[in-house]
Amino acid sequence: MTINPAAGKPADPSILVNVPKLVTAYYELRPDPSVPSQRVVFGTSGHRGSAFDVAFNEWHILAITQAICDYRKLQKIDGPLFLGIDTHALSEPALASALEVLAANDVDVMLAEGTPYTPTPAVSHAILVHNRARKSGLADGIVITPSHNPPDDGGFKYDPPHGGPADSRVTSWIESKANAFIERRLEGVQRVLFTKALNAPTTHKHDFLSVYVGDLNNVVDMNAVRDAKIKLGVDPLGGAGIDYWPRIAEEYGLDLVIVNKAVDPTFRFMNVDWDGKIRMDPSSPYAMQRLIALKDKFDIAFASDTDHDRHGIVTKTSGLLPPNHYLSVCIGYLFANRPNWSKDVAVGKTVVSSSMIDRVSAQLGRRLYEVPVGFKFFVEGLLAGRLGFGGEESAGSTFLRRDGSVWTTDKDGIIPCLLSAEITARVGKDPGEIYRELTGELGDPLYERVDAAATPDQKAALAKLSPSDIHATEVAGQPIEKILTTAPGDGAPIGGIKVIAKDGWFAARPSGTEEIYKIYAEGFLGQDHLRKIEQEARTIVSATLAGSAHAF
């Protein structure tokens, strides 16, 4: 991975997005369904793209929203639809487009009251609160966000009544239906003028903020944070939680400083990411330079991305914690300090998350539930209370309420931040100190993700590999113990391969958007060991693809 010379520095004005030009592109450019990149495509977190690339435009949103309306009718989902947006420039236009279709289809829509923005977890929370103990009149939701993606991107995702990301069966149906509408030049899409939609009897206001914030003490011990009188810092990164943090501080009497109160669709206040692009990623040490520089001013500091479904934790002792480090600390703390959780509640992780989580879970005597990449694979377990925690290496997580019932079934970037304050308050050490103690007991892993070039045929072949296709017997001098192409937890395909030895592992997965495959690697025996794993991963995957007749 080549680091751009501008990485970690304030954004130069020359790279700022031209917002009027972007919004014009949203309304004026029309997708060509014969071009794959201009079709509706649902990835792990909905449909995403830039209006400049004709990948996220008015026609996409009109078609997707009508497809969602048709899906609701098919599934007899007739309760309210909770609709939230983040602070990206394309979110407001997409909200207008969606509302025009929803109103025309007589869908009861709940829009935010008191603040224009709604974090992803607040939508999931609202759906679950509404649907609790209901058998009919079930609610669902739409969140308009591309998460931490660059400022010229837009995103659109659907949450069914379970409150989490829709599974591939649902998104495939919506995707197919939406593309059919675009192919027919929106024939069949119902729509009314925006002013009529805004004033329709089916358009309502909902106080997402008060409901979510007022419930926080049931998932995090906010009284312990208040009573410890620790000093907290937060950077909302110009995102959808901008009005949530002041209310949280007021509601629970916290000594909380908001270090950046700006909302600007160019995100000019960001330090640029590793590749020279603006990206609101709270797990990136480049993007988080401003908060890292303030670490000594606070007992604990944190940030969330644009839709507040990811977290970044900054400690005095260690600076910005890598996501895998903090997930390990969270799991160790939660399962030892939630007495009302069932002893049978498991730990959820993705296959490319750190093996430190495996070791922490074993130390706790808790079952590990390992799933493919994608938060949708945690939904059922969280909803049923069988998973106490679900986390992924990209800094997404959520966990159960203190009584052991479901909180959200989508990623929540706010509660892991507040949990870092609870941990600091109750343990008297910050999460960085606690992680160092874990490494003394369980080993000190090094983890990295690198990219390697791949053709479309090679990517397709990688996604279809079976364990028998791997002929290597060792990784970095240790015998291969397991080769996985399905996740141990739910048996679902991982869309690639994971090779495991005693003190290290690697996984390889094709990118959904670029001509590369991603190698995730971790080793417990130092930097040279990790480099050897990465080198052998490339060699093993290349040899396997070259030897697979179906690869070309």
Side-chain angles (χ1 to χ4, degrees):
M1 185 168 72
T2 303
I3 305 301
N4 189 286
K9 297 177 182 177
D12 187 274
S14 65
I15 70 169
L16 299 181
V17 65
N18 183 327
V19 174
K21 187 175 181 180
L22 181 69
V23 173
T24 299
Y26 172 85
Y27 283 110
E28 296 301 323
L29 300 183
R30 297 286 181 261
D32 181 348
S34 69
V35 179
S37 64
Q38 296 182 22
R39 293 175 66 82
V40 172
V41 178
F42 273 77
T44 55
S45 297
H47 174 73
R48 293 183 182 179
S50 172
F52 290 143
D53 300 329
V54 204
F56 189 95
N57 294 84
E58 183 185 36
W59 276 30
H60 291 111
I61 304 311
L62 295 172
I64 294 170
T65 308
Q66 184 63 56
I68 289 171
C69 291
D70 292 350
Y71 177 79
R72 295 180 100 243
K73 290 173 185 174
L74 186 68
Q75 299 297 319
K76 297 182 171 53
I77 300 169
D78 55 4
L81 183 144
F82 292 93
L83 180 56
I85 67 168
D86 76 357
T87 55
H88 275 79
L90 291 176
S91 294
E92 289 278 5
L95 170 68
S97 301
L99 191 60
E100 290 171 1
V101 176
L102 292 166
N105 283 270
D106 296 320
V107 175
D108 281 296
V109 178
M110 312 300 282
L111 298 177
E113 179 179 67
T115 172
Y117 310 114
T118 310
T120 285
V123 173
S124 179
H125 179 271
I127 294 168
L128 294 173
V129 168
H130 177 88
N131 290 344
R132 190 179 297 151
R134 285 180 180 267
K135 300 293 184 184
S136 61
L138 296 178
D140 55 1
I142 291 172
V143 189
I144 302 174
T145 173
S147 191
H148 62 292
N149 279 25
D152 64 325
D153 273 12
F156 201 86
K157 61 182 182 179
Y158 174 62
D159 290 350
H162 58 50
D167 64 33
S168 54
R169 178 187 57 83
V170 176
T171 56
S172 293
W173 192 95
I174 292 171
E175 179 183 301
S176 176
K177 191 85 169 179
N179 282 319
F181 284 131
I182 291 173
E183 288 164 3
R184 299 197 302 267
R185 302 186 62 78
L186 300 185
E187 180 186 343
V189 173
Q190 300 178 58
R191 183 183 185 188
V192 298
L193 291 174
F194 178 62
T195 51
K196 184 175 181 180
L198 204 56
N199 295 295
T202 52
T203 300
H204 315 278
K205 290 290 188 177
H206 177 73
D207 194 351
F208 288 93
L209 193 158
S210 293
V211 175
Y212 178 89
V213 172
D215 206 11
L216 279 171
N217 202 42
N218 289 313
V219 69
V220 176
D221 189 348
M222 302 299 289
N223 294 336
V225 179
R226 178 198 63 214
D227 295 345
K229 301 188 186 316
I230 55 176
K231 191 169 185 63
L232 311 174
V234 62
D235 189 342
L237 300 181
I242 191 71
D243 294 320
Y244 281 62
W245 293 108
R247 181 71 72 83
I248 290 169
E250 179 186 0
E251 180 99 3
Y252 296 104
L254 306 184
D255 183 3
L256 176 69
V257 176
I258 302 162
V259 303
N260 171 33
K261 299 180 180 180
V263 175
D264 182 334
T266 67
F267 295 92
R268 66 181 67 240
F269 46 78
M270 290 297 301
N271 294 81
V272 299
D273 207 359
W274 65 272
D275 57 356
K277 294 182 179 180
I278 295 176
R279 194 177 284 110
M280 290 62 69
D281 183 354
S283 66
S284 166
Y286 304 102
M288 287 281 282
Q289 279 298 303
R290 181 178 58 240
L291 191 59
I292 293 170
L294 298 174
K295 68 182 180 64
D296 294 331
K297 294 181 178 291
F298 306 105
D299 294 301
I300 192 78
F302 33 77
S304 288
D305 66 335
T306 326
D307 68 320
H308 273 48
D309 73 343
R310 301 185 189 216
H311 60 267
I313 308 300
V314 177
T315 70
K316 276 186 175 180
T317 59
S318 305
L320 178 67
L321 287 183
N324 279 313
H325 294 195
Y326 184 56
L327 296 183
S328 300
V329 172
C330 286
I331 291 162
Y333 176 82
L334 283 168
F335 284 85
N337 290 277
R338 292 296 186 263
N340 293 324
W341 286 11
S342 165
K343 298 298 182 185
D344 297 325
V345 168
V347 176
K349 62 165 275 194
T350 57
V351 292
V352 296
S353 297
S354 174
S355 287
M356 179 62 98
I357 293 172
D358 305 44
R359 297 185 181 194
V360 171
S361 301
Q363 186 183 60
L364 292 163
R366 292 285 180 164
R367 182 171 63 89
L368 188 69
Y369 186 75
E370 196 169 357
V371 301
V373 175
F375 215 78
K376 60 189 176 185
F377 295 104
F378 294 129
V379 170
E380 186 182 348
L382 289 165
L383 195 60
R386 294 194 302 271
L387 288 180
F389 180 92
E392 55 188 15
E393 86 298 337
S394 56
S397 66
T398 193
F399 45 90
L400 296 179
R401 294 170 180 265
R402 293 159 69 187
D403 67 2
S405 61
V406 64
W407 170 254
T408 61
T409 47
D410 208 337
K411 297 188 289 286
D412 190 327
I414 297 174
I415 59 169
C417 292
L418 294 172
L419 184 68
S420 73
E422 179 189 330
I423 292 169
T424 305
R426 293 189 60 188
V427 178
K429 301 172 185 175
D430 71 41
E433 295 173 283
I434 295 171
Y435 184 76
R436 281 204 303 275
E437 291 177 357
L438 284 176
T439 63
E441 300 171 24
L442 302 174
D444 191 1
L446 294 175
Y447 178 101
E448 204 164 68
R449 198 201 95 184
V450 295
D451 298 336
T455 66
D457 285 339
Q458 288 173 324
K459 287 167 56 180
L462 178 57
K464 296 174 183 176
L465 288 180
S466 69
S468 61
D469 292 319
I470 302 293
H471 301 300
T473 59
E474 290 187 349
V475 171
Q478 293 185 333
I480 292 173
E481 296 180 348
K482 290 181 184 176
I483 300 173
L484 304 177
T485 54
T486 59
D490 59 2
I494 64 176
I497 198 144
K498 183 175 182 180
V499 177
I500 305 167
K502 178 178 178 290
D503 293 305
W505 59 270
F506 75 84
R509 299 177 60 249
S511 168
T513 57
E514 301 174 80
E515 299 305 302
I516 60 171
Y517 67 88
K518 304 172 185 178
I519 295 174
Y520 305 81
E522 184 174 48
F524 279 78
L525 302 178
Q527 189 71 44
D528 290 343
H529 181 234
L530 177 64
R531 290 287 170 258
K532 189 173 286 190
I533 292 173
E534 291 172 349
Q535 290 165 7
E536 294 188 15
R538 284 194 181 93
T539 300
I540 290 169
V541 172
S542 296
T544 302
L545 293 179
S548 298
H550 60 273
F552 301 99

